[in-house]
Amino acid sequence: MERLGGRVIGFADKDVTSASKGETLYDSIRIIGQYTDVIAMRHPLEGSARRAAEATNKPILNGGDGANQHPTQTLLDLFTIQETQKKLIGLSIALAGDLKYGRTVHSLTQALTRFSPRLYFIAPKTLQMPEHYLEELKKNKIKFSLHEKMEDVIKQVDIFYLTRIQKERFADQMDYERVKNSFRLTLAHMTCVKKNLKILHPLPRVNELDSKIDATTHAYYFQQAENGLYVRQALLGAVLGKI
Amino acid sequence: MTQDKKLLVSAIKNGTVIDHINAGQALKIIRFLNLAAQNKLVTVGLNLPSKLMKTKDLIKVEDWEISLEEANQVALIAPQATINIIKQYQMFKKFALKLPEKIEHLLVCPNPKCITNHEPMDSFFYVKMRGQKVEVSCKYCEKQFALDEIKDYKI
């Protein structure tokens, strides 16, 4: 926002807002909307962005609402896929990692249904894509399959979208350790892959993405993160009527 | 009237009869429609014998006329229920039940992380059929639930 010449009234922590005094989200947004032209918010509760949009006529940008959606990430993901493959339609795309709770993969899956992809979902059984997203794909006649191992599909895809497996999602920490060590993309996976394969990751990464991949032509996650800046600037410009 | 044909729940003069409720659902409907708070005479039959359904539940409410919106809410719980308005012991009006497209206020979202469970606000669900089952999806957290996953109502 500041790079675009705007000013930011912001708070990274709810403890410095009236929410800590028990003010409702509706009231907070109604007040904040009177001071601002646009509101970008990240909130731990699901549906909070939609609720916020009901409280003000100023544009609300959802920067993530709990485990529900992360639409601006999806816009930059789509932009990056287009940039690397020169098209969006008809691509083979693998989504891997925490597909159950990962909001980026939920939003991206929904958005991709518009571009006739072939989708591969790779996750430990307990973290597979929720059923209602798969139902949505079936309804839209999108081909997909479920897998547990990365090596089963990586040779076939144009985009490999990897996400972090989060420790706090596991009730049993032993299970986490087991998955953490087995669910890891390494240089060994990079043999015989498609030349145009690009690895994407919403970052931060932990153990699931070997840093040795950074030097390959397939790594594109840092450019993806940079695209985040441009796409969000473009979005701010669009909602403020400047583009 | 012979002993066999005797009505198990007595007839009402004026009011609403909700019949052919699948057994076990009548109390849910009473809660759903907040009938206990209406101060009306409500008689309930549970697990009554039925030729069509083997067993059924039945609700009769004296001096109370169900609205179309409320009747459609009954369809959520008991899609095969029949609802008749009674006047002077005769059937005056019969409702053709239709699932509502949306339900405001009534349901509590089972998702503990849904904003509707943390703000003083109305819930809002879209209703759709999935095969034979009614499914609702929360407008806010976007999660989908089978109706029997909804355990709480805002009444």
Side-chain angles (χ1 to χ4, degrees):
Chain A
M1 191 73 210
E2 286 179 0
R3 279 175 173 234
L4 293 172
R7 282 191 303 122
V8 177
I9 310 168
F11 26 80
D13 192 330
K14 71 172 170 52
D15 292 342
V16 299
T17 71
S18 292
S20 61
K21 299 175 195 159
E23 188 179 55
T24 62
L25 175 69
Y26 186 92
D27 285 0
S28 296
I29 295 296
R30 192 146 184 187
I31 300 296
I32 295 164
Q34 289 164 356
Y35 290 91
T36 57
D37 299 309
V38 58
I39 298 170
M41 65 176 270
R42 172 169 290 184
H43 197 281
L45 293 174
E46 293 156 22
S48 50
R50 190 177 293 277
R51 178 61 175 162
E54 292 170 350
T56 177
N57 55 7
K58 300 293 166 58
I60 300 281
L61 304 183
N62 183 6
D65 60 328
N68 186 33
Q69 297 275 355
H70 195 351
T72 63
Q73 177 75 40
T74 294
L75 288 175
L76 78 91
D77 290 341
L78 291 176
F79 179 79
T80 307
I81 294 170
Q82 162 75 34
E83 185 177 63
T84 59
Q85 308 294 330
K86 310 296 175 219
K87 63 173 185 176
L88 281 172
I89 291 176
L91 294 169
S92 289
I93 297 174
L95 301 169
D98 180 356
L99 304 183
K100 185 171 183 185
Y101 299 102
R103 58 192 174 198
T104 59
V105 286
H106 297 164
S107 291
L108 185 57
T109 300
Q110 285 181 311
L112 285 171
T113 56
R114 293 166 173 266
F115 304 106
S116 314
R118 166 66 166 96
L119 296 177
Y120 301 85
F121 296 112
I122 313 160
K125 262 189 186 150
T126 51
L127 294 179
Q128 231 345 319
M129 187 59 89
E131 194 58 37
H132 66 272
Y133 290 106
L134 301 179
E135 284 292 328
E136 205 61 31
L137 292 176
K138 281 183 205 162
K139 215 164 69 186
N140 286 292
K141 298 189 170 57
I142 304 293
K143 276 192 182 170
F144 67 89
S145 49
L146 308 181
H147 307 267
E148 282 187 68
K149 290 188 173 146
M150 298 179 181
E151 48 271 33
D152 292 348
V153 297
I154 195 156
K155 294 182 177 69
Q156 304 158 50
V157 297
D158 306 303
I159 293 288
F160 194 91
Y161 192 99
L162 184 57
T163 61
R164 186 162 53 102
I165 303 266
Q166 294 175 50
K167 195 175 176 179
E168 60 272 23
R169 303 299 184 204
F170 288 82
D172 183 345
Q173 287 308 304
M174 282 294 288
D175 285 345
Y176 169 70
E177 292 299 326
R178 218 170 290 133
V179 168
K180 186 184 84 173
N181 295 324
S182 65
F183 206 83
R184 181 169 157 79
L185 190 68
T186 65
L187 270 185
H189 290 105
M190 294 295 113
T191 50
C192 304
V193 295
K194 281 182 163 183
K195 208 175 159 193
N196 64 322
L197 167 73
K198 293 291 181 229
I199 314 282
L200 304 184
H201 191 301
L203 304 180
R205 64 174 155 182
V206 191
N207 197 47
E208 68 284 351
L209 179 55
D210 188 347
S211 58
K212 288 190 181 121
I213 291 178
D214 298 0
T216 69
T217 56
H218 304 297
Y220 208 79
Y221 26 89
F222 292 116
Q223 294 94 322
Q224 178 191 6
E226 186 184 345
N227 283 342
L229 172 67
Y230 308 136
V231 166
R232 289 179 177 122
Q233 283 182 327
L235 188 59
L236 283 167
V239 297
L240 293 171
K242 302 289 182 191
I243 292 181
Chain B
M1 191 179 284
T2 66
Q3 189 65 27
D4 280 352
K5 293 221 169 168
K6 188 180 166 192
L7 282 176
L8 290 165
V9 178
S10 57
I12 56 172
K13 187 177 177 189
N14 297 302
T16 301
V17 175
I18 308 173
D19 199 356
H20 303 106
I21 303 165
N22 22 343
Q25 298 299 316
L27 296 179
K28 209 176 196 178
I29 291 172
I30 286 173
R31 212 171 145 217
F32 217 70
L33 297 175
N34 206 10
L35 290 177
Q38 306 263 10
N39 220 8
K40 302 289 179 194
L41 186 89
V42 181
T43 45
V44 186
L46 301 178
N47 298 317
L48 303 174
S50 161
K51 272 184 196 160
L52 275 176
M53 305 168 68
K54 286 188 184 165
T55 54
K56 66 172 185 178
D57 289 356
L58 170 74
I59 301 169
K60 294 185 178 183
V61 192
E62 194 85 50
D63 294 324
W64 175 76
E65 202 168 305
I66 195 168
S67 69
L68 181 62
E69 192 191 345
E70 288 166 326
N72 288 341
Q73 285 168 6
V74 171
L76 273 174
I77 297 172
Q80 71 279 48
T82 52
I83 302 185
N84 296 322
I85 305 293
I86 307 295
K87 286 201 174 160
Q88 296 299 324
Y89 297 105
Q90 300 293 316
M91 191 192 25
F92 174 74
K93 185 174 164 190
K94 196 179 180 81
F95 277 95
L97 296 193
K98 200 177 117 209
L99 271 182
E101 286 175 6
K102 56 193 183 185
I103 316 169
E104 292 177 71
H105 330 295
L106 265 180
L107 311 181
V108 173
C109 184
N111 175 9
K113 295 196 82 180
C114 179
I115 186 76
T116 57
N117 290 317
H118 297 265
E119 289 262 308
M121 62 185 285
D122 288 333
S123 65
F124 190 110
F125 286 84
Y126 298 104
V127 181
K128 61 178 181 183
M129 287 300 290
R130 189 160 147 188
Q132 293 297 303
K133 282 199 151 185
V134 180
E135 203 173 71
V136 291
S137 65
C138 174
K139 172 184 158 188
Y140 291 93
C141 73
E142 302 180 34
K143 300 271 181 299
Q144 298 179 13
F145 305 95
L147 204 62
D148 52 17
E149 287 179 88
I150 307 276
K151 303 288 182 209
D152 222 347
Y153 306 106
K154 283 187 180 176
I155 47 175

